[in-house]
Amino acid sequence: MIVVAVVGPTATGKSDLALDLAQALGTDRAPAEIVNADAYQLYRGMDVGTAKVPPAERRGITHHQLDVLDPAQDASVARYQEDARADLDAIAGRGARAVVVGGSGLYVRALLDQMDFPGTDPAVRDRLEARAEAEGRRALHAELERLDPQAAESIGPHNTRRIVRALEVIEITGRPYTANLPRQEYVRPAVQIGLDCSREVLDARVGSRVDRMWDGGLVDEVRRLASPEQGGTGAGLGVTAARAVGYAEVLAWWRGESTEAEAREAVTANTRRLARKQMGWFGRDPRVHWLDAASPHLLADALELVADADAGTLPVAGSEPVRRSLGS
């Protein structure tokens, strides 16, 4: 059965559409199930700041890949790929439809597309990092340019961490670094439905969302999760969780880097910036079929896309975003 994925920028209503689709596409014998593809919704307790659908509002629909990590843990795309693909296998084994939903582009690609994650070798990494220190990153970049010109052009000469990683992968695998990059090739039949709206509408939605989060207890949530050293009362936010929009700005406020009002304004600005980044990521994928998030016929339009995909009549290339300037 074809996997349905609802993707696009934050604040466009992806979670609501995923719930509507799951209800419409499920049957009594095989209810549809939802698989999360939002990196920060993997974390337990990060609810308000990630706009996680509360359990009472999930309409009895089974959700996967929510609340599977402690906030102190660092998320791993490779681990997510393994676990979420196992969820898809199990859902298919039950004869049910899987509805994937999320705005973390790398996680969506890792779940749906051909994407390999080469291992690491600490000895190789240490040797390359020592060379970078002794010879300089430009020397390593020149070596990468000789071994994999495409990777060298993409990474550039100033990103030592990525240069070292690329050379490490080449040495471990014996293949160019770019050979391990994701390909736009589904590992199982899928249809991606993108939600988009005008920049003005999206900005207004983001502003309203931040207001709801702030009034709904975002600051208290961060305090409950953060360690005393971070300004909170909990066990602590790890490197990944502490970078999440909403959490990072509150932590910066507590460090004395801003006022509360400035932190709130920064959450709004950074959420809007995140939405542009997400639109840029998904907007580059020609397989995404875009719908206007503000359309009164949104569910019907989405169901029509799914029906076409099931029938094998869906165009190979998706439709254009409602407003391409969102990705600018």
Side-chain angles (χ1 to χ4, degrees), residues 53-105:
V53 178
E57 298 177 18
R58 294 175 191 170
R59 309 181 198 177
I61 296 168
T62 299
H63 283 62
H64 303 272
Q65 297 305 310
L66 290 178
D67 305 323
V68 296
L69 294 176
D70 289 325
Q73 293 178 269
D74 287 334
S76 162
V77 183
R79 181 172 59 219
Y80 170 80
Q81 181 189 67
E82 180 179 356
D83 293 345
R85 285 187 178 181
D87 290 331
L88 292 185
D89 290 340
I91 294 168
R94 291 188 283 271
R97 175 87 70 174
V99 179
V100 174
V101 58
S104 298

Side-chain angles (χ1 to χ4, degrees), residues 2 6 77 89 91 112 116 118 135 191 197 220 225 234 244 248 257 261 282 293 300 315:
I2 289 177
V6 181
V77 183
D89 290 340
I91 294 168
L112 300 181
D116 299 325
E135 304 172 26
V191 55
C197 55
D220 288 339
L225 295 173
E257 298 170 13
F282 291 111

